[in-house]
Amino acid sequence: MIGVIGLGLIGGSILRGVAARGAEVIGFDADPEVRAAARSEGFNVADSWREVVDASQLVFLATPIADTVDLIGEISSLGASAPVLTDVSSVKRPVMHAAREAGLKQFVGGHPMAGSHRAGWPAADEGLLRGAVWALVLDEQTDSGAWANVAETVLGLGARVAPVSAVAHDRAVAAVSHAAHVASAAYANSIEAVAPTPLSLVLAAGSFRDVTRVMLSPEERTAAMLIENGDDTAAVASVMSEEVSALAKALSARDEGVVAKQLASAGDLRRRYDRLIATEAMTGRLIDAPTRAELVDELRGLVDSGALVADITDVMNDGAIWRAAVLSPV
């Protein structure tokens, strides 16, 4: 049995995805209206998080990060009876610290790189996580069996697994995700000052829509995410401010060379991303090991490299050979 605590956008999508592939799953949400809505669609929904924990071998904690930290403490009081646990929080260091402080040996920090500006159970979609990159913390303290259990479940949802450390993960998502909210907010908030609406909004088109899309996310959720990763996001925002200032000076000076160089550099980064997403700039290989635990130990060598685990297989169906299919950036 797989459990999901928190049935919002991500948790609800996990519940739907697990059920769609025919696995047993049980969910819980603190909101009775959400529980009722999920039950009305035929899902197995508990009346307490404890019921989910007691019934499951693997539990996804899909609650706001502060609630996740609290749950970790409460679940740790169950001792040896606690199942394998993983979370979906966008910041990993505080969650990993809480799990280690609580002595949870079978906790695997996770973060699916998928989402939407929509929120809550109505936004949940069984296909949301298909094709997504799912970061899973794999460090020297991570239990190999627990990590493999979570990775295989995530792969079953159609995602690809990126082995990461908590520190590198938080720094990377500050740059590619969290700072995007900062940039979008600064951009949107500047419009009224320099080009008052409604004319600006009437003339707005694709660029405006793309840059401000993330501003449609619930403000409280986004603010909590940014604050939790405040130091790393602030560091990125500081560098971003310097980049904007340099471009502003070049524009004022009509320095076409500097402006073109900055645009070309940014365009190159976006094209590199497009090639990686299309796997055109990745190479595949197979890693074999005699046991699942030894295979996970092999995968520790890929941590923070950008490599993606696309599959984990018991090759002979007898546990004699375990194989991981890996895509690595070139």
Side-chain angles (χ1 to χ4, degrees):
M1 180 78 79
I2 293 173
V4 183
I5 300 176
L7 302 180
L9 173 66
I10 299 299
S13 297
I14 294 171
L15 185 80
R16 291 184 184 278
V18 172
R21 66 186 180 90
E24 287 189 296
V25 61
I26 182 171
F28 169 76
D29 194 277
D31 187 336
E33 292 186 6
V34 172
R35 297 200 299 272
R39 284 193 185 113
S40 72
E41 295 187 42
F43 291 101
N44 181 14
V45 179
D47 289 316
S48 70
W49 65 261
R50 178 63 188 267
E51 187 179 339
V52 172
V53 170
D54 289 343
S56 306
Q57 288 75 52
L58 166 62
V59 174
F60 287 85
L61 304 179
T63 51
I65 190 166
D67 295 339
T68 295
V69 169
D70 289 342
L71 271 171
I72 284 171
E74 294 186 67
I75 293 172
S76 69
S77 66
L78 303 178
S81 62
V84 174
L85 295 172
T86 186
D87 76 308
V88 301
S89 304
S90 64
V91 187
K92 295 274 59 77
R93 280 175 294 185
V95 175
M96 296 307 301
H97 176 75
R100 299 278 158 75
E101 285 290 299
L104 289 176
K105 304 295 185 183
Q106 295 199 101
F107 183 89
V108 179
H111 179 206
M113 301 304 298
S116 167
H117 61 272
R118 300 172 63 215
W121 171 256
D125 177 2
E126 69 178 66
L128 178 70
L129 304 165
R130 197 174 301 130
V133 171
W134 200 307
L136 289 181
V137 174
L138 180 59
D139 57 24
E140 65 279 357
Q141 298 181 62
T142 305
D143 180 85
S144 296
W147 194 90
N149 286 344
V150 176
E152 288 169 2
T153 301
V154 164
L155 291 168
L157 291 171
R160 295 172 293 176
V161 173
V164 300
S165 67
V167 171
H169 166 276
D170 289 357
R171 186 180 301 123
V173 295
V176 300
S177 177
H178 301 168
H181 291 268
V182 176
S184 180
Y187 163 70
N189 289 333
S190 70
I191 290 174
E192 287 279 16
V194 298
T197 56
L199 178 60
S200 296
L201 295 183
V202 170
L203 298 179
S207 296
F208 174 83
R209 288 195 300 271
D210 291 346
V211 174
T212 59
R213 178 189 63 81
V214 296
M215 289 297 97
L216 296 175
S217 301
E219 293 86 355
E220 296 83 0
R221 184 180 74 183
T222 301
M225 174 184 74
L226 296 178
I227 293 298
E228 286 291 348
N229 204 20
D231 289 344
D232 283 336
T233 305
V236 178
S238 178
V239 173
M240 188 162 52
S241 176
E242 294 172 4
E243 291 285 329
V244 171
S245 294
L247 264 174
K249 290 178 181 178
L251 289 168
S252 294
R254 304 295 194 271
D255 191 333
E256 185 176 347
V258 171
V259 173
K261 182 179 179 181
Q262 292 293 84
L263 295 177
S265 167
D268 285 345
L269 181 65
R270 172 56 194 252
R271 284 184 281 274
R272 283 167 54 199
Y273 165 79
D274 288 341
R275 289 196 297 273
L276 280 172
I277 291 302
T279 68
E280 295 172 1
M282 303 190 90
T283 183
R285 65 186 174 113
L286 301 175
I287 298 176
D288 288 351
T291 67
R292 193 170 68 152
E294 289 175 276
L295 179 63
V296 173
D297 287 339
E298 290 286 335
L299 296 177
R300 291 178 199 274
L302 303 177
V303 169
D304 298 338
S305 68
L308 299 176
V309 179
D311 190 30
I312 293 177
T313 309
D314 180 357
V315 177
M316 307 300 292
N317 292 318
D318 62 2
I321 301 176
W322 285 85
R323 173 172 294 164
V326 175
L327 296 170
S328 298
V330 294

